[in-house]
């Protein structure tokens, strides 16, 4: 995933997964020359939650001596997530997800990154497969990886995608890096929360379920390659970003939010 000469932007929320990711990469990288890690934190503007995780990210990067940049929704999109979500709370995670992805790409571009590393773990990946199936969103299920290899974007890497949430927790405890942090107030609206508890029940009763879901995704991608689902992307008519329709998700969303 990482080669000599890479400048890796590490998406660091300050939470468990991204903390483990930065610690691990920092431990592994001294063996490789010419690879540089730079942490990027996105401040969505979630009152009572993000402040503490940002502090935790700042502390970690200071301890490790890693360059750290923070980008806010306010700066990029003109308002905080809290403001965008007034009256739209049930859509919190989809709005947040679209804007955060864009903010991370902007952050990675600003620092001239050649890779963008995120802390998605096995549980996250398996949950996403199931959520895309529940929503009947096959294009998204297939397109995720296609985007990574298309050469249009800074390649995204997920070094922890085969590591479970439990293993990450054990790693943090062993390395004395476990912190109790507040939970995002919008998680109660998240479909992911329900899928998470459903999947952990399955994984407990039928070990390997999460790996099998990832394998299913890879097989579906394989069979769909070359089909209309993985068709080349257009350019957004407003911002020029690659997208599947006339306008990208970010521009369509910002317009619906009155921006
Ligand atoms: Fe954003 Fe939802 Fe995560 Fe909160 S739980 S940070 S709203 S994606
Ligand atoms: Zn656009």
């Amino acid at each position: 995933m990482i080669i000599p000469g890479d400048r890796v932007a590490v998406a660091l929320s300050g939470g468990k997964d991204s903390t483990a990711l930065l610690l691990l990469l920092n431990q592994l990288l001294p063996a490789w020359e010419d690879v540089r890690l730079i942490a990027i934190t996105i401040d969505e503007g979630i009152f009572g939650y993000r402040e503490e995780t940002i502090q935790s990210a700042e502390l970690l990067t200071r301890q490790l001596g890693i360059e750290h940049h923070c980008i806010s929704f306010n700066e990029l999109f003109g308002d905080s997530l809290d403001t965008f979500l007034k009256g739209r709370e049930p859509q919190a995670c989809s709005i947040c997800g679209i804007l955060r992805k864009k903010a991370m790409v902007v952050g990675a571009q600003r620092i001239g990154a050649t890779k963008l590393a995120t802390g998605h773990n096995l549980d996250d990946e398996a949950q996403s497969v199931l959520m895309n199936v529940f929503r009947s969103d096959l294009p998204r299920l297939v397109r995720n990886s296609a985007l990574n290899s298309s050469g249009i974007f800074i390649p995204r890497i997920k070094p922890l995608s085969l590591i479970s949430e439990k293993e990450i927790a054990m790693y943090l405890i062993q390395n004395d890096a476990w912190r109790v942090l507040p939970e995002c107030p919008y998680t109660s609206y998240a479909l992911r929360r329900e899928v998470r508890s459903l999947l952990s029940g399955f994984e407990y009763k039928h070990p390997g379920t999460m790996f099998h879901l990832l394998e299913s995704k890879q097989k579906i991608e394989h069979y769909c390659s070359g089909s209309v689902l993985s068709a080349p992307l257009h350019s957004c008519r407003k911002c020029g970003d690659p997208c599947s329709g006339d306008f990208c998700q970010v521009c369509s969303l910002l317009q619906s939010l009155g921006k």
Side-chain angles (χ1 to χ4, degrees), residues 67-218:
E67 189 179 323
H68 182 215
H69 297 259
C70 203
I71 300 173
S72 71
F73 275 18
N74 234 319
E75 174 207 338
L76 283 187
F77 309 119
D79 251 320
S80 67
L81 186 68
D82 282 340
T83 310
F84 286 138
L85 292 184
K86 285 206 174 92
R88 298 185 184 88
E89 290 81 359
Q91 297 159 261
C93 295
S94 51
I95 293 178
C96 177
I98 291 169
L99 298 181
R100 184 147 35 93
K101 211 179 277 177
K102 172 72 179 177
M104 280 195 299
V105 171
V106 171
Q109 283 167 339
R110 278 186 188 171
I111 59 161
T114 55
K115 301 272 164 64
L116 171 58
T118 61
H120 294 90
N121 61 38
L122 175 64
D123 300 52
D124 297 327
E125 294 296 289
Q127 287 157 16
S128 296
V129 174
L130 208 54
M131 284 163 66
N132 285 328
V133 171
F134 284 170
R135 292 182 178 128
S136 184
D137 197 346
L138 194 53
R140 181 177 289 177
L141 182 68
V142 174
R143 214 178 291 133
N144 270 341
S145 315
L147 285 180
N148 292 345
S149 55
S150 66
I152 304 171
F153 294 98
I154 296 171
R156 273 182 68 183
I157 56 170
K158 299 176 182 176
L160 305 183
S161 62
L162 297 179
I163 315 285
S164 73
E165 207 172 274
K166 276 187 193 160
E167 289 169 306
I168 290 173
M170 286 193 297
Y171 171 80
L172 289 174
I173 291 167
Q174 280 183 340
N175 285 275
D176 198 22
W178 177 267
R179 305 276 174 277
V180 178
L181 291 166
E183 199 180 45
C184 172
Y186 300 110
T187 43
S188 55
Y189 299 101
L191 169 64
R192 187 174 284 277
R193 192 185 218 189
E194 290 174 56
V195 172
R196 182 182 180 209
S197 90
L198 183 122
L199 253 184
S200 47
F202 263 82
E203 182 67 35
Y204 181 72
K205 280 195 204 152
H206 311 284
T209 297
M210 291 200 276
F211 273 114
H212 294 152
L213 272 168
L214 283 204
E215 274 172 16
S216 301
K217 173 188 153 85
Q218 280 159 6

Side-chain angles (χ1 to χ4, degrees), residues 236 239 248 251:
C236 169
C239 71
C248 71
C251 288

